[in-house]
Amino acid sequence: MNKKVITAISVVVILAVAFFILKSIEKKSKSQTDQKPQKPAPVVKVIIPEKQEVPIYYTANAVLQAKTSAKLKPQVSGRVEKIFVEEGSFVKAGQPLAVIQPEKEEYQIESQLAVINQLEANYLNKKSIYERRKQLYEKELIAKEELDNAKTDMEVALNQLNSAKATLKEYKRQKNETVIRAPFDGYLDKRYVSIGDYVDSQKDMFYILKLNPIWAVFELPQQYVKNLSLGKEVEIDVDGIGAVKGKIDYISSSLNENNLIVVKVLLDNKDGLLRENMYGKAKILVDKVEGYKLPEDAVQLAGNDNFVYKVVDSKAEKVLVNVLKQEYGYVYVSGDLKQDDKVIVSNLMNVKHGMPVKVIQQPEVAK
């Protein structure tokens, strides 16, 4: 065998050995790469959902409104002469609030008194004539016709006198109405006039109202009319005050311009905290359904779907749920849950459907 052949064979052997070594290294490296360490199962806490009957409420915007109120307008025209009360004052029924200058009424009364004096003198004269005619008639000195005429004249004069007295009474009534008085006990909430202002029967002078009791007024769609009845208790959550319970005092007999039923709930306001035009929320019980109570954090949202994770055979299982209501840090749901399920309530960001999980505590019951 010549040297060239030997050299060629040696080169081939060396290359083969080198190729084998490289493949072995590559295979070992790939094996090490494929054997990445597995992440530990997420550690979670769980809770057992509490099954209960869940009340379902319809919530409506409510505004408080005085049950008894009045805008006071004068019955006479004139300038405001005196004002006795300020806004916010508590007033009693019949208490004077203001006086309108009674110049016209005083002139009418004085003029009418003069008319009455004349008519009274005329009546007395006609009466005297009648009495003389009557005596003459009884002595058969005059005809019956003269007596009848005298009697008619006397009666006409009496009617004129009585009519004038009635007119005087009306003038005195009008003068009395120059004093604006409170129609009932309540608070003078607004004053629209000042001393010197000219007022007439179209001008508002005062707004007076009672604050106890007070109405909470709201509207409902017609499908909930079956859930309404006079005297039914309703809770009103008044902004800044809190929950106040009252009873339905009024249900409209027809739909309003928004095609809604108007409802008024009467609230006790003996503490005086409620004010007209305050806002709140009315809660009307419309149904009761079975559901499960869970902490708010247990329910996740993906798109339009709400779901929870429960532990089944040490793995997380995704369960779609329907949220019935949410309040005070808890959520009430319905779905494919059972009372002995273990619902995950912690470390949810690291939990996926089908993933092994490690429960680190005994399950608690939602309370």
Side-chain angles (χ1 to χ4, degrees):
M1 186 176 300
N2 59 35
K3 290 181 178 179
K4 290 183 178 181
V5 173
I6 294 173
T7 301
I9 293 172
S10 299
V11 171
V12 170
V13 171
I14 292 170
L15 290 174
V17 171
F19 180 78
F20 177 77
I21 293 172
L22 288 173
K23 283 295 183 179
S24 297
I25 294 172
E26 183 181 350
K27 184 176 182 181
K28 184 177 181 181
S29 176
K30 184 176 180 181
S31 175
Q32 289 176 347
T33 302
D34 291 341
Q35 294 177 358
K36 289 181 180 179
Q38 295 291 324
K39 289 184 179 180
V43 176
V44 298
K45 295 179 181 180
V46 296
I47 199 168
I48 294 176
E50 179 189 0
K51 187 176 183 180
Q52 57 183 248
E53 190 175 57
V54 182
I56 305 300
Y57 294 93
Y58 178 86
T59 302
N61 293 324
V63 63
L64 302 192
Q65 183 183 102
K67 182 177 182 180
T68 304
S69 64
K71 284 188 176 181
L72 306 184
K73 301 176 186 287
Q75 298 299 308
V76 296
S77 302
R79 295 199 177 275
V80 179
E81 188 176 56
K82 295 179 181 178
I83 295 177
F84 301 112
V85 291
E86 294 299 327
E87 289 180 341
S89 301
F90 182 81
V91 295
K92 303 288 288 183
Q95 179 179 333
L97 307 179
V99 173
I100 300 171
Q101 290 178 346
E103 294 177 353
K104 175 184 175 182
E105 285 69 25
E106 287 182 348
Y107 170 77
Q108 288 175 327
I109 290 172
E110 291 175 0
S111 299
Q112 194 65 17
L113 285 171
V115 170
I116 288 174
N117 288 336
Q118 293 176 356
L119 292 175
E120 191 168 27
N122 182 57
Y123 166 68
L124 293 174
N125 179 51
K126 298 296 184 182
K127 183 179 179 182
S128 177
I129 292 173
Y130 168 72
E131 289 175 347
R132 287 199 299 270
R133 294 286 190 275
K134 185 178 180 182
Q135 291 176 357
L136 293 173
Y137 175 74
E138 289 174 350
K139 295 178 181 180
E140 298 182 353
L141 296 175
I142 61 173
K144 179 74 165 50
E145 184 179 358
E146 289 188 57
L147 176 63
D148 291 342
N149 289 338
K151 183 178 181 181
T152 299
D153 290 343
M154 179 187 70
E155 290 174 345
V156 169
L158 179 60
N159 289 336
Q160 290 174 339
L161 176 61
N162 289 336
S163 177
K165 288 181 177 180
T167 301
L168 177 63
K169 186 177 180 180
E170 174 62 18
Y171 288 158
K172 287 182 177 180
R173 184 193 66 79
Q174 291 178 2
K175 180 182 177 181
N176 184 59
E177 288 182 349
T178 61
V179 180
I180 308 303
R181 301 178 184 273
F184 49 80
D185 293 356
Y187 288 91
L188 192 139
D189 187 58
K190 293 181 178 63
R191 190 190 82 187
Y192 302 107
V193 295
S194 300
I195 292 175
D197 286 351
Y198 182 84
V199 297
D200 57 26
S201 60
Q202 303 303 311
K203 173 67 176 178
D204 293 331
M205 294 187 66
F206 301 101
Y207 177 60
I208 185 173
L209 73 164
K210 284 186 175 182
L211 288 176
N212 188 32
I214 193 168
W215 271 329
V217 183
F218 55 92
E219 302 171 341
L220 290 177
Q222 66 182 49
Q223 63 262 37
Y224 296 120
V225 70
K226 63 180 181 297
N227 302 109
L228 303 174
S229 61
L230 293 176
K232 182 177 181 178
E233 188 173 77
V234 174
E235 183 177 284
I236 310 294
D237 188 7
V238 182
D239 292 355
I241 303 296
V244 182
K245 291 185 178 179
K247 293 184 177 180
I248 295 178
D249 189 52
Y250 168 85
I251 303 170
S252 63
S253 300
S254 60
L255 302 184
N256 65 6
E257 63 277 6
N258 298 318
N259 290 322
L260 298 172
I261 299 289
V262 178
V263 182
K264 298 181 181 181
V265 172
L266 199 60
L267 304 176
D268 179 74
N269 190 28
K270 60 184 178 183
D271 295 331
L273 296 177
L274 304 178
R275 296 287 189 272
E276 189 172 52
N277 296 324
M278 278 185 168
Y279 288 94
K281 299 285 187 181
K283 294 172 60 180
I284 304 297
L285 180 66
V286 296
D287 199 3
K288 289 184 178 180
V289 297
E290 286 192 346
Y292 294 91
K293 180 180 179 181
L294 293 169
E296 285 180 341
D297 294 341
V299 180
Q300 305 294 297
L301 178 65
N304 294 323
D305 293 331
N306 294 289
F307 65 91
V308 299
Y309 287 114
K310 66 180 182 180
V311 178
V312 179
D313 297 331
S314 298
K315 291 184 178 181
E317 181 177 302
K318 184 177 180 180
V319 180
L320 294 178
V321 294
N322 177 41
V323 175
L324 302 174
K325 72 171 184 175
Q326 190 170 349
E327 61 182 9
Y328 308 122
Y330 287 92
V331 65
Y332 298 81
V333 302
S334 61
D336 187 18
L337 292 174
K338 301 180 181 62
Q339 282 189 286
D340 56 353
D341 281 339
K342 299 174 183 178
V343 177
I344 299 174
V345 295
S346 70
N347 204 13
L348 288 161
M349 294 296 294
N350 295 314
V351 176
K352 302 295 181 184
H353 177 69
M355 175 184 290
V357 293
K358 181 179 179 181
V359 180
I360 62 169
Q361 68 171 28
Q362 293 296 321
E364 298 178 358
V365 177
K367 296 181 179 179

